[in-house]
Amino acid sequence: MTQQANYEQIPLKDYAERAYLDYSMYVVLDRALPFVGDGLKPVQRRIIYAMSELGLDAGSKPKKSARTVGDVIGKFHPHGDSACYEAMVLMAQPFSYRYPLIDGQGNFGSADDPKSFAAMRYTESRLTPIAEMLLAEVGQGTVDWTPNFDGTLKEPSWLPARLPHVLLNGSTGIAVGMATDIPPHNLREIASACIRLLDEPATTLVELYEHVKGPDYPTAAEIITPPSEIAAMYATGNGSVRCRAVYTKEDGNVVVTALPHQVSPSKILEQIAAQMRAKKLPMLEDIRDESDHENPTRIVLIPRSNRIDLDEMMQHLNATTDLEKSFRINLNMIGLDGKPQVKNLKQILAEWLRFRQDTVTRRLEHRLAKVERRLHLLEALRIAFLNLDEVIRIVRHEDEPKPVLITRFKLSDEQADYILETRLRQLARLEEMKINTESGELEEERARIHVVLNSKVRLKTLIKDELKEDARKYGDARRSPLVQSAAAQALDETALVASEPLTVVLSAKGWVRSAKGHDIDASELGYRDGDEFLAAAQGRTTQQVAFIDSTGRSYSAAAHTLPSARGNGEPLTGRFALPAGARFDALAIADAATKLVLASDLGYGFVTKFEVLLANKKTGKQILNVEDGARVLAPALVADSARDRIVVVTNAGHLLMFSVAELPELEKGGKGNKLVEIPKARLAAGERVVGIAVVTEGKGEVTLYAGERKLTLRWADLVEYGGNRAARGSLLPRGLQRVERIETSA
């Protein structure tokens, strides 16, 4: 005879689905999400209840945390002790909980490192006074009791919270397929909103905003989220809240005195130091952490000079560090129906008020039952006192006095037992007075309870009075100020670069580099084999550099991003995509509004602003229309359009100077107008413009180079070459009629 197998065979698919569903429901209902009634997750509820069972109220002597954790995991929560202790520590940290439920003695972590708490064998703990708000009514018939994990004990299914704790301390958790992020709130504001809703059940969400202004975090950081967004968050149950650090100015320095919730000073120091190492904070000289017990948050930022705009600097730091931080809001919780749901503010408060009304009703009914039982027993004592001799006779002579007493005086079993258990001294003359007094008081209490239970108005009044009393007892002022301000914006990259002089050098094969200072002889720098100096331009690290290729396309890059001149630099082809066969011919560096002259060696050009040359895309943009075989000349910067003159010189020795005002300004580029007349025959013979220069009326000079010879022409000399645009110009002295290049100086 074969033994029947003691197992069930089911398809693996069904088993996996069932197991995952069971696990999911456990995580959602019994681990990750808080209950709307008491605002606690199961582990938190068990910790608080276990501490109350150990007698660890606010007025008691604290006990080792290990003792509490041992009771929790041994009696109610069969999970890891480290996870249980961490949940306990969180409820004791004033920088994590708006209203801590546990008073911890010892190292319970710091705002700088919340997880740096000591082991549970070293710390001691007890409940805080506000925890009484959760526990005061536990033994008054207000909760359902369920067996613990092994069925040997009973534990409360919830705690009878006297305040909507789910909003006071908030909660975070990740379940399966859902999560919760409930921010903390101010107790007085929430109590006020509850009272308003009790008085006027039809109160709208907009009217509730008059009481609940927004979240209230444990830190004093400002909440800068617009009221409209906060209102939308409370209306939908989803959204975000942005908090910003608070700072003051002391002796030219910035002192940060409050950080957003869960942001540590060490993280801020690390983020700012990383930017300083990357040379992205030129306005900041040093940073110090002066936090201590008296000043939990004190970060001192020392600017590089007193000319730094401190507010602008902080605006940038707010945008690039956790000095300004957004917190996700997701008001997801377990409702009274036992189901998870994302609720709006009114739903949460209304549902908690239903929970509170049910709790108070159960408390009153429980008390009423006790009062009526006591009156029942006192009535038995009164009967015994009035018939004392007869009672004594029955007790002395009857074998079974209980049924005789019940028959003789029409008593209940409980009354008969109570008479038989009564001590003789309770039947003294003075005891009769106590019985009558106690009965009278209990009769009055019973009448009051009946009135409250039979009147919804009286019940609401009782709840309101208790809310007001708790708000007075446990409430405090708002910590997180509400400030209307836009989100911080980081400074432009160029604003973060120290303004220093530099020289940008371009080689013939398109390699670029930059050297600090303006006293650089670019022709003397070393170049790669087969390469040589092509052009150089002087500017500052905060400016943009424009590179122009042989097709007239312009490309731009920030000057401070160019490689150092200590090496050979880098090829511009790695940054930009040039047309096939194109090469780089020229470069320029200037402020965006600066005007300059662009021209080709065929003698055509125009005036434009430097910003026209800037191109954000890798392929650049077409600026100068260049004919085949033509070359782009080095641009010449214009300082004063009314007084400046353009000097044009050809390799055949013709030089012409005319007013900049004669040359049109083009906003989108093009071929431009004729600068100097070069006859077609001369063009065919190879005459070209070798360079252009801009000089200011009455000053400035140009130097011409022809082989080993050079000629410097000052203003008085240049006047002789003056004329109108597009003229042929005048011949230079013999020996300088094969000019190779032109330079200008102020």
Side-chain angles (χ1 to χ4, degrees), residues 19 30 125 136 155 195 203 258 282 296 356 372 384 400 411 513 568 572 574 589 646 654-655 657 687 695:
D30 292 324
S125 55
E155 62 175 314
I195 293 171
T203 300
R356 184 61 187 159
E372 290 180 337
E400 293 290 337
L411 303 174
R513 47 187 154 166
N568 292 322
L572 286 176
I589 179 169
I646 300 176
H654 285 266
L655 188 147
M657 183 176 74
E687 183 176 351
V695 296

Side-chain angles (χ1 to χ4, degrees), residues 502-519:
L502 89 164
T503 301
V504 180
V505 181
L506 179 65
S507 75
K509 291 193 175 180
W511 284 63
V512 68
R513 47 187 154 166
S514 65
K516 290 183 179 180
H518 288 167
D519 54 346

Side-chain angles (χ1 to χ4, degrees), residues 648-673:
V648 185
V649 62
T650 70
N651 55 7
H654 285 266
L655 188 147
L656 174 66
M657 183 176 74
F658 60 90
S659 174
V660 170
E662 294 186 50
L663 193 62
E665 181 176 337
L666 302 182
E667 294 183 357
K668 296 183 179 180
K671 180 179 179 181
N673 289 28

Side-chain angles (χ1 to χ4, degrees), residues 25 87 114 143 279 298-299 314 320 353 358 385 398 419 432 460 475 491 538 560 645 715 718 722:
M25 293 302 296
V143 299
K279 297 183 179 180
R298 183 178 170 84
I299 299 175
M314 290 306 298
T320 57
L353 285 173
D358 181 61
F385 187 82
E398 296 292 338
I419 290 174
E432 181 185 11
K460 287 184 177 181
L491 293 175
Q538 296 178 344
H560 71 275
R645 302 289 187 270
W715 177 255
L718 291 171

